[in-house]
Amino acid sequence: MSKTEEALKEAFAGESQANRKYLAFATKADQEGHPQAARLFRAAAEAETIHAHNHLRALKAIRSTGENIEEAVAGESHEFKSMYPAMITVAKTEGNKAAERSFHFANEVEKVHARLYQELLAGISKTGETYAYYVCPVCGYTAEKAAPGVCPVCGAKGKMFKKVE
Ligand code: FE2
Ligand code: FE2
Ligand code: FE2
């Protein structure tokens, strides 16, 4: 990988993180009664997404949908097979309950993501049928077609789930 490509990867990671951080900061600003700060955080977050996507395109890292789904399966699988289990062990060893819970939620949901991507790739839904997904706002558990009554990962109520289409 060239130095420029390494720089693009680093810049993509930084802009991506800034995007999610600013959105979290915007929610906090709203809660604290600073609506203008919230707007600026959201506007900057929007711009950081544009920067991140520009970097990703310059890296030629966006390929066909089939290849992109394969990449997603590989990434999700790495996370639940090795990355999160190791992190959960570290958090347990150090007695960091908040980190353990956060890693556990992600670990369980990445398994679901890997399965959903694999099923899509295998053509299980090649009927042309399209449907919505429902995402748990607490742990990220992702369901097809309808929200469960209660989240199987964290126990949150299904009516809290966010519909994604
Ligand atoms: Fe930026
Ligand atoms: Fe995931
Ligand atoms: Fe959940």
Side-chain angles (χ1 to χ4, degrees):
M1 187 179 293
S2 72
K3 286 217 165 96
T4 303
E5 286 171 330
E6 272 176 33
L8 283 168
K9 270 189 118 171
E10 186 187 329
F12 172 68
E15 297 286 359
S16 300
Q17 288 186 38
N19 165 269
R20 303 331 286 183
K21 202 182 277 186
Y22 288 170
L23 291 179
F25 289 174
T27 300
K28 181 71 174 179
D30 274 330
Q31 286 165 354
E32 289 185 342
H34 303 297
Q36 199 56 39
R39 284 183 178 189
L40 179 53
F41 278 131
R42 281 194 292 269
E46 196 71 34
E48 311 313 3
T49 294
I50 292 167
H51 298 161
H53 287 172
N54 287 344
H55 297 334
L56 205 57
R57 273 194 298 275
L59 263 170
K60 297 186 170 56
I62 307 167
R63 295 172 291 162
S64 71
T65 296
E67 290 167 310
N68 292 338
I69 293 175
E70 277 175 16
E71 182 177 330
V73 171
E76 302 282 357
S77 301
H78 163 71
E79 289 176 0
F80 79 76
K81 283 182 183 164
S82 98
M83 188 185 90
Y84 281 128
M87 290 176 172
I88 288 166
T89 302
V90 168
K92 275 186 181 154
T93 306
E94 297 186 346
N96 189 326
K97 290 277 172 208
E100 186 186 337
R101 173 180 144 100
S102 187
F103 293 149
H104 167 70
F105 283 169
N107 190 45
E108 293 308 307
V109 176
E110 311 316 2
K111 292 175 192 171
V112 176
H113 289 166
R115 177 176 58 75
L116 292 174
Y117 281 129
Q118 277 166 325
E119 289 174 356
L120 202 66
L121 206 55
I124 282 170
S125 61
K126 258 189 190 144
T127 53
E129 178 201 11
T130 60
Y131 44 83
Y133 291 94
Y134 293 80
V135 179
C136 176
V138 178
C139 74
Y141 176 76
T142 308
E144 294 173 298
K145 297 178 185 173
V150 168
C151 178
V153 172
C154 76
K157 291 205 172 77
K159 5 172 228 230
M160 291 167 61
F161 276 45
K162 184 181 173 186
K163 186 179 184 183
V164 178
E165 27 189 9

